Amino acid sequence: MSTRSFDLAFDGIAIATEILHRRPARIAAAVAALDPDRLLVLTDDRVLDACGGALLPLLRELCPVLVLSGPDGEGLKSLGHLSACLEQALAWGATRRSVVVGFGGGVVGNLAGLAAALLFRGLRLVQVPTSLLAMHDSVLSLKQAVNSAAGKNLIGTYYVPERILIDTGFLDSLPLREWRSGMAEAVKNALAVRPAMLPRLKEMLTPALDLSPADRHWLLETCLDAKCEVMAADRCEKKAAIVLEYGHTVGHAVELAAARHAAVGAISHGEAVGLGMLAAARVAASRCGLPAADADLHRDLLARMGAPLELPPALASADVMALVARDNKRGYIRPGDGAAAMVLLEGIGKVAGDPALPLLPVDLSLIERCLRPPPAAAGIRARADEAVDVFMITDGRRGFGPAAIASVLGQSYRGPIDLWLIEDGGDNARPWCEALTLPAHVRLRHRRLDAAGTHPLVRVSRLRNRATGLGTAPLIAFIDDDNLWEPGHLASLARSLRRSGAAAAHSWRRLIDGRGRPVVPRRFPWRHPDDPMAAGLLDACRRTGIFSERDAVVRDRVSAPCDGEDFGMVDMGEWLLRRSLFECFRFAEDYTADERAAMVGEDDKLLRHLRANGIATVCTGRATLRYRLGGFSNAWT
C-alpha cells in the first residue's frame, strides 16, 4: 500500500495526515519536523510491548522521551491517571516546546489529547493510532475526555492535533477482538452516514477479519472521509455530526457498566456500540417505524464478524440504565423526566427527526425493554435448526481423532453445523479431513493455531479462546479428540435449551477405556492414585450422586454442595453454550501454582463463572458423551 499525505479538512480546520504501511521512520521524521525539545509518549502496556520496539528507538534519537504507560483498558481514562501523567511530565521537565504523542488506541488517544490540552494550556499533539478504531474514527474527533464515576467521557474539552500519522503495519499485532471493535464502528458509519459502503464492507465482514492491505486502505479513507463530511460545519460534534453518536447512548453505558462488573468482564468499545446499535434499532422500530429488514441488517452485519449480539446475562439492565440516564448528550434537547436523548434511524442512512440536530427523546422504559431482544429474536428458546459451531482441539497424533469427527458427523441434529478442527501447531490431522463424506448440513473447517511454550492448562484455554473467535454460529459446543458423542447429543441439548430458556445446557457422560468399554469409577479418575485427596473426592462424588457404584455414568452437575464445599463439575464436551454467553466469558489464561498442581481446568473456571453470576443452566439428564479415560488430565489411568 502506498503512502498518502493529505489534510483532513472540516469546519475551517485542516489536520496534516499521513497513511503509511510499516514506515515508523516516516513517523519519526514527521515528529522531528515539529522540532520538539522533549517528547511525552502516552501509551498502554499492550501497545508498548507489541509496537513500542518499532517506534520508540527512533523517537529517542530526536530528543529525550518520557513514556507514560499503564494497563490497557478504560481504567486509563480516569482523572487519577491523567493527574499522575501530568505531574510526571512536569517533574520530568516538559516545556512549552514539548510535544505529546498519543501512541495507542482510542483510550490512549483521548488521554493524550486531554493531557496536551491541559499542559501549559496547550502543547502540540501528534496522534499515532495503533488500533483500527482509533485509525478511522477516534483520532479525527476533537473530543478529548476521561470518565468519571457518573459516566463515560463526562470530563474533557476539544483539542486539535498537529499531526495524525497512521501506520497500518501496527494492525498486524492487533488482537481479533480489537479488529471487531474497529469494524463495528465502520458498520455504524455504513448504517447511519454512508450506506454506499455496505456492498464492499459486507465482503470484509468475516469471522477472521483478514483484510488485505488494499481493503485496509479503502476502509480507513472511506471512514475518515465520511466523518469529515458530517463534521464539515460541526467540528465539535454538537449539531449535525451528533449522528456519529449512533449506538453510543446505550453503547457507552454497556461499556462502562461491564468495566465496573468484574464478573462480566470487559466489553470493547466497538462491541458495546454494536449492542447499542441493536438496541437503537429496536427502539426505532417501535418509535420511528424503522423497517424490519433494516433492523435485521444491523444484526446481520454484526453477526458476520462474530460480534456479540446480546448483552451478557450477568450484566444487570438496571446498571446499564443508570448510566443511560446520565448520558453525556444531556442538555442538547430537553427530553423530559424519565427520558433520554438518542440518535435513531428511520431507514438506512436516514436519521429520524431533524438532521441538523438528530436527537429524539425516548422514554427510559422503552430503552430498557429494548436492551435485549425479545425471546423470539434472541433465540432464548432455541430453534431446532439453530447453527452450531463445534470446536475440536487436537495435536493430530492420537488415534481416536477420526472417530470423534465421525461422532459429530453422525449427529441426528439437523441444524447447520460447522465443525472446526483446530490443530495445535502441527499439520498431523490433515489426513483425517481427506475422503470424508460430509452431510449436507455440516461443514468441516481445518485451522492451525499455535500456543507453543505454555503450560498445558494455559494452552488449552488459549486455544479455546482463539478458536471460538473464528466462528459466528449462535450456539457453541466442544469435543475433545479422544471422546465421542452419542447420535442424539446435540439434539437433546438444543431441545433442553428450547424448553428451558437457559443460557447453557449440559449432558452427563459415560466413562470408557481406550477400547471403548465402560469403566465404573472405583476411584477418582482425575487425581493420581497416590494423591491423598483422591479418596475424599471419590467419597464426595458418591455422596452427591455424581458417581454410582453400579454404572459408568458420571451425573455431572453445575453445583453439588457437600460438607461446605461445592463439588460440581461438567466437562467441556458436555456443554451447548450460547455464543452471547461465551462472548462475555473468556477462558482464563492465568493459572496459579496451586491451580496447576490441582489440575483446575478451564471447565472448572467456567463453572465458577456460571455459579457466581447466577446464569441459568439446564441438564439433559442423559449420558450422551462417551468420555475416554487416559487423556490429558488423567494420563495415569
Side-chain angles (χ1 to χ4, degrees):
M1 184 174 71
S2 60
T3 298
R4 183 174 173 225
S5 302
F6 56 98
D7 285 344
L8 285 172
F10 53 91
D11 199 11
I13 291 175
I15 305 173
T17 303
E18 295 190 39
I19 299 180
L20 317 162
H21 186 60
R22 297 177 183 168
R23 294 194 60 191
R26 176 58 201 153
I27 294 176
V31 173
L34 299 176
D35 190 28
D37 65 344
R38 291 169 181 258
L39 292 174
L40 311 174
V41 178
L42 276 72
T43 186
D44 65 48
D45 294 346
R46 192 202 70 79
V47 171
L48 189 60
D49 291 341
C51 308
L55 180 61
L56 292 178
L58 299 173
L59 296 182
R60 290 190 174 106
E61 293 177 6
L62 307 178
C63 61
V65 174
L66 175 64
V67 176
L68 300 169
S69 184
D72 64 301
E74 284 289 310
L76 287 181
K77 285 180 58 172
S78 69
L79 276 175
H81 185 71
L82 172 65
S83 177
C85 289
L86 298 178
E87 294 293 350
Q88 288 181 65
L90 293 170
W92 178 66
T95 74
R96 296 180 185 276
R97 217 182 100 204
S98 301
V99 170
V100 174
V101 178
F103 183 42
V107 167
V108 166
N110 266 208
L111 186 68
L114 192 51
L118 293 175
L119 282 168
F120 300 101
R121 300 189 184 92
L123 292 184
R124 292 168 296 172
L125 170 66
V126 174
Q127 293 284 21
V128 183
T130 60
S131 72
L132 181 64
L133 176 61
M135 288 180 184
H136 76 66
D137 184 80
S138 59
V139 291
L140 184 55
S141 178
L142 308 186
K143 298 183 292 186
Q144 319 294 350
V146 295
N147 303 330
S148 80
K152 187 173 166 66
N153 295 336
L154 295 180
I155 301 172
T157 188
Y158 296 89
Y159 202 64
V160 182
E162 291 276 334
R163 300 276 192 280
I164 297 175
L165 304 172
I166 299 171
D167 191 327
T168 60
F170 291 131
L171 297 177
D172 295 341
S173 63
L174 194 67
L176 179 59
R177 193 175 191 186
E178 289 304 315
W179 270 97
R180 288 200 190 106
S181 183
M183 292 301 283
E185 283 279 5
V187 167
K188 177 207 73 178
N189 288 338
L191 291 171
V193 178
R194 187 165 290 187
M197 293 174 57
L198 284 169
R200 185 165 180 178
L201 183 63
K202 281 184 179 181
E203 296 177 1
M204 300 178 189
L205 296 177
T206 65
L209 290 175
D210 187 16
L211 273 63
S212 68
D215 284 340
R216 295 181 185 185
H217 191 103
W218 174 86
L219 185 70
L220 293 177
E221 287 201 344
T222 303
C223 288
L224 288 171
D225 186 60
K227 191 158 186 173
C228 282
E229 179 183 327
V230 297
M231 294 172 64
D234 185 16
R235 70 172 73 177
C236 293
E237 301 175 54
K238 293 183 175 182
K239 300 175 184 176
I242 284 180
V243 68
L244 297 169
E245 288 279 306
Y246 184 58
H248 285 61
T249 300
V250 169
H252 277 164
V254 168
E255 183 181 9
L256 193 55
R260 293 175 174 177
H261 197 316
V264 174
I267 296 177
S268 73
H269 177 75
E271 289 173 335
V273 169
L275 293 168
M277 289 191 291
L278 293 173
R282 291 189 283 270
V283 169
S286 173
R287 173 85 163 67
C288 312
L290 180 72
D294 291 349
D296 289 345
L297 179 61
H298 287 61
R299 188 179 180 90
D300 175 64
L301 294 173
L302 295 169
R304 283 172 179 261
M305 59 176 169
L309 303 178
E310 300 173 33
L311 265 63
L315 188 58
S317 297
D319 293 340
V320 176
M321 291 307 301
L323 293 166
V324 167
R326 297 195 296 268
D327 180 65
N328 63 7
K329 291 183 286 299
R330 286 177 295 162
Y332 287 126
I333 63 173
R334 297 180 180 178
D337 294 338
M342 290 187 73
V343 178
L344 299 175
L345 301 181
E346 61 183 28
I348 302 303
K350 300 176 182 178
V351 294
D354 183 2
L357 185 60
L359 288 173
L360 292 176
V362 181
D363 287 345
L364 293 176
S365 60
L366 175 58
I367 298 174
E368 185 168 11
R369 289 199 302 274
C370 293
L371 286 180
R372 290 180 166 88
I380 290 177
R381 300 195 177 277
R383 303 185 308 273
D385 61 348
E386 247 182 323
V388 183
D389 280 323
V390 177
F391 297 98
M392 185 172 83
I393 296 171
T394 181
D395 59 11
R397 291 186 288 274
R398 296 182 185 174
F400 302 119
I405 293 175
S407 77
V408 177
L409 302 185
Q411 289 298 296
S412 61
Y413 184 79
R414 283 299 174 260
I417 298 174
D418 274 4
L419 171 56
W420 294 84
L421 186 62
I422 306 299
E423 192 152 9
D424 182 6
D427 199 24
N428 301 300
R430 186 170 296 278
W432 300 353
C433 305
E434 298 172 357
L436 280 176
T437 301
L438 299 177
H441 66 293
V442 178
R443 292 188 299 181
L444 180 63
R445 310 288 190 88
H446 180 222
R447 295 289 189 276
R448 294 172 58 194
L449 299 177
D450 192 0
T454 58
H455 187 275
L457 290 169
V458 177
R459 289 175 71 88
V460 174
S461 292
R462 185 167 297 167
L463 288 167
R464 290 206 196 281
N465 284 334
R466 293 177 63 186
T468 51
L470 299 173
T472 61
L475 300 176
I476 290 176
F478 301 91
I479 183 169
D480 289 345
D481 63 356
D482 55 350
N483 292 337
L484 301 168
W485 283 346
E486 298 291 351
H489 179 74
L490 284 179
S492 62
L493 289 167
R495 184 164 54 250
S496 294
L497 283 181
R498 184 171 65 251
R499 291 174 176 174
S500 68
H506 71 87
S507 67
W508 289 341
R509 54 183 147 166
R510 189 180 306 275
L511 301 181
I512 60 175
D513 63 13
R515 297 182 180 180
R517 298 172 300 189
V519 177
V520 177
R522 305 299 183 191
R523 61 177 181 80
F524 190 75
W526 299 281
R527 289 277 185 167
H528 193 278
D530 297 333
D531 190 322
M533 295 183 64
L537 290 169
L538 175 64
D539 178 63
C541 285
R542 285 177 172 170
R543 289 165 60 192
T544 56
I546 294 175
F547 285 176
S548 169
E549 298 184 61
R550 299 187 304 273
D551 58 39
V553 175
V554 179
R555 295 163 177 83
D556 288 298
R557 302 179 187 178
V558 171
S559 183
C562 181
D563 296 336
E565 295 189 43
D566 198 324
F567 289 90
M569 59 182 185
V570 181
D571 183 72
M572 288 308 304
E574 297 175 273
W575 283 112
L576 184 63
L577 303 164
R578 299 196 187 287
R579 177 171 291 277
S580 56
L581 173 62
F582 187 79
E583 288 289 351
C584 71
F585 167 81
R586 306 295 290 172
F587 290 111
E589 297 181 13
D590 54 329
Y591 284 80
T592 66
D594 288 343
E595 287 175 331
R596 295 183 183 194
M599 296 300 288
V600 174
E602 79 284 5
D603 46 3
D604 300 308
K605 294 197 173 188
L606 173 61
L607 279 190
R608 292 175 186 174
H609 175 79
L610 296 173
R611 288 195 295 256
N613 291 281
I615 295 172
T617 64
V618 65
C619 177
T620 65
R622 298 178 60 189
T624 52
L625 171 69
R626 296 173 68 191
Y627 183 95
R628 199 181 306 270
L629 294 171
F632 158 65
S633 61
N634 50 5
W636 49 83
T637 302

